[in-house]
Amino acid sequence: MTITLGSARRQFLKGIGGGSALFFASQVTQDDDDDGYDADREDELDSPEDTDVDRIAADPTDVPDPVDWDEPRYHEITMTSEEYVAEVEPGVTFRYMTFDGQVPAPLIRVRRGDTVHLTFEVPDDLNIDAHNVDFHAVYGPGGGAEDTTLAPGDDPAKIEFSAEYPGIFIYHCAVPNMDQHISAGMFGAILVEPEDGLPSVDRELYFGQHELYTNGDPGQEGHHQFDFGAMADEDPTYVLTNGEAYAYAQDGPYGPVDVEKGERIRIFFANGGPNLTCSWHAIGNVWETYYRDGSFASEPDRYVETTPVPPGTVSAAEIETPVPGPIHLVDHALSRVVRKGNLATLEVDGDAEPDIYNPDP
């Protein structure tokens, strides 16, 4: 059996340069005698399944507006557990578990002191497993998980909590098989702005990373089943940004995120995990202002090149965009980028700035 470089990986490598593409393609193509892939994974998979949805990747530009109120508010939020078969990359299907049908789950935005009334639903026509939700922004048993645990078809659960401390925090499913459910896509972020709000920026984006553990290899066509052994070994098939391989890469299924030269951009980045720490890095840029572990109550770090984002953590960073061209957002554990689907790209549009960067001096 020969496993060749998947189409999404070819598109990524094309985006970072032809010479690199040829080199990596030659390295990633393997046969049975090579040790580059896990020999315990299956040689043959079931055929790809019909998909329930066209995409699972959340739109990184879908960010709620900044807080513009200065008195506590009451928010009614409904969240629904939804399990769908979708493509990880062309020809590769998997049954995802999600909140509201996307990975990462929607970003919730409130102000410190606000009250959230949550209604959580697990419809029996959209779910096989029981689910719940654990907010890291909540004082309370399991961050709300104990009181939101539902089997498919149970009456909706309702909880209410006060956002007592500022920052940006993860939320995730926390049933006994929580590692599987998070790996399959059940994580998101809740942003609790300080009373005085956050500094103004030109644009905000929201990304999430997680590992996907399956019985196949990266790019191997077919329907991938969840692999508990690979998860216990912390050996993922994919390490994904927004749920799909190279979803927002150049020539990826949704293309890069377009921004304008000179914009100051704030990025919210959730590492769902469930196991691996991300070495978060922007190729061709720097975290000019970095809110370590999503803390808005502490002084931010400045000009950080690469930073660890542990599983179960949301970080926030601001970048400047003084020159045109691509900014690749990666996990600098680079085998995850080259071989396992991890990449998102910002494409900065505008005139050249040769005093800052000159490609042809």
Side-chain angles (χ1 to χ4, degrees):
M1 177 187 69
T2 299
I3 300 173
T4 58
L5 191 68
S7 60
R9 271 163 297 284
R10 286 195 297 270
Q11 295 287 7
F12 158 65
L13 293 168
K14 176 183 174 183
I16 62 172
S20 297
L22 291 173
F23 171 76
F24 284 119
S26 68
Q27 298 302 305
V28 175
T29 301
Q30 311 255 352
D31 60 31
D32 285 336
D33 296 327
D34 293 336
D35 59 0
Y37 286 115
D38 185 346
D40 294 333
R41 289 189 169 128
E42 295 186 10
D43 287 348
E44 295 185 9
L45 301 174
D46 292 337
S47 297
E49 293 189 1
D50 292 337
T51 58
D52 299 317
V53 292
D54 292 335
R55 62 184 286 176
I56 211 75
D59 180 350
T61 68
D62 186 11
V63 177
D65 291 336
V67 165
D68 61 358
W69 56 93
D70 55 13
E71 295 291 335
R73 282 192 177 180
Y74 184 84
H75 306 267
E76 292 191 1
I77 295 172
T78 298
M79 186 179 297
T80 304
S81 170
E82 303 173 7
E83 301 178 22
Y84 293 121
V85 174
E87 283 193 325
V88 184
E89 58 178 306
V92 177
T93 59
F94 177 78
R95 186 175 184 86
Y96 289 84
M97 302 177 182
T98 75
F99 296 109
D100 291 353
Q102 65 178 63
V103 180
L107 178 64
I108 298 170
R109 192 169 199 158
V110 300
R111 176 183 178 273
R112 187 181 189 185
D114 286 358
T115 297
V116 175
H117 180 96
L118 175 74
T119 300
F120 181 59
E121 303 173 334
V122 183
D124 58 2
D125 61 335
L126 295 177
N127 293 274
I128 296 173
D129 292 271
H131 299 290
N132 60 22
V133 57
D134 167 6
F135 290 94
H136 288 198
V138 168
Y139 285 126
E146 289 193 17
D147 296 306
T148 58
T149 302
L150 300 176
D154 282 352
D155 290 337
K158 298 178 185 292
I159 62 170
E160 200 166 272
F161 62 88
S162 175
E164 290 290 302
Y165 41 91
I168 185 164
F169 307 94
I170 211 153
Y171 65 85
H172 60 86
C173 188
V175 296
N177 278 342
M178 66 183 74
D179 47 359
Q180 177 204 13
H181 288 215
I182 295 169
S183 171
M186 294 195 80
F187 71 98
I190 176 170
L191 169 58
V192 182
E193 288 202 29
E195 291 95 327
D196 295 334
L198 296 176
S200 177
V201 293
D202 297 301
R203 189 188 299 259
E204 293 179 323
L205 301 172
Y206 170 47
F207 293 97
Q209 177 173 310
H210 67 117
E211 309 113 47
L212 193 60
Y213 299 89
T214 81
N215 62 335
D217 289 316
Q220 185 178 359
E221 290 195 1
H223 184 71
H224 287 226
Q225 302 286 349
F226 196 85
D227 188 330
F228 285 89
M231 182 171 62
D233 292 339
E234 301 184 6
D235 179 21
T237 308
Y238 290 99
V239 181
L240 301 171
T241 300
N242 287 37
E244 298 181 33
Y246 308 113
Y248 291 98
Q250 290 171 315
D251 298 318
Y254 316 117
V257 178
D258 290 323
V259 302
E260 295 299 321
K261 188 187 75 173
E263 286 188 310
R264 184 174 180 86
I265 300 168
R266 180 179 295 127
I267 303 173
F268 303 114
F269 178 76
N271 183 6
N275 296 316
L276 302 182
T277 294
C278 171
S279 297
W280 195 33
H281 174 70
I283 298 175
N285 211 285
V286 68
W287 308 127
E288 191 270 350
T289 300
Y290 182 66
Y291 301 94
R292 191 168 301 279
D293 302 328
S295 174
F296 294 116
S298 305
E299 285 296 315
D301 295 333
R302 302 294 306 280
Y303 301 107
V304 176
E305 57 169 343
T306 302
T307 187
V309 183
T313 301
V314 188
S315 286
E318 294 165 12
I319 64 173
E320 303 283 2
T321 57
V323 298
I327 301 170
H328 298 298
L329 309 180
V330 300
D331 184 337
H332 214 288
L334 290 173
S335 291
R336 302 171 189 174
V337 177
V338 175
R339 304 172 193 278
K340 293 180 181 285
N342 181 272
L343 179 71
T345 299
L346 312 183
E347 186 65 40
V348 181
D349 299 319
D351 295 334
E353 291 290 345
D355 289 342
I356 299 175
Y357 178 75
N358 186 348
D360 187 23

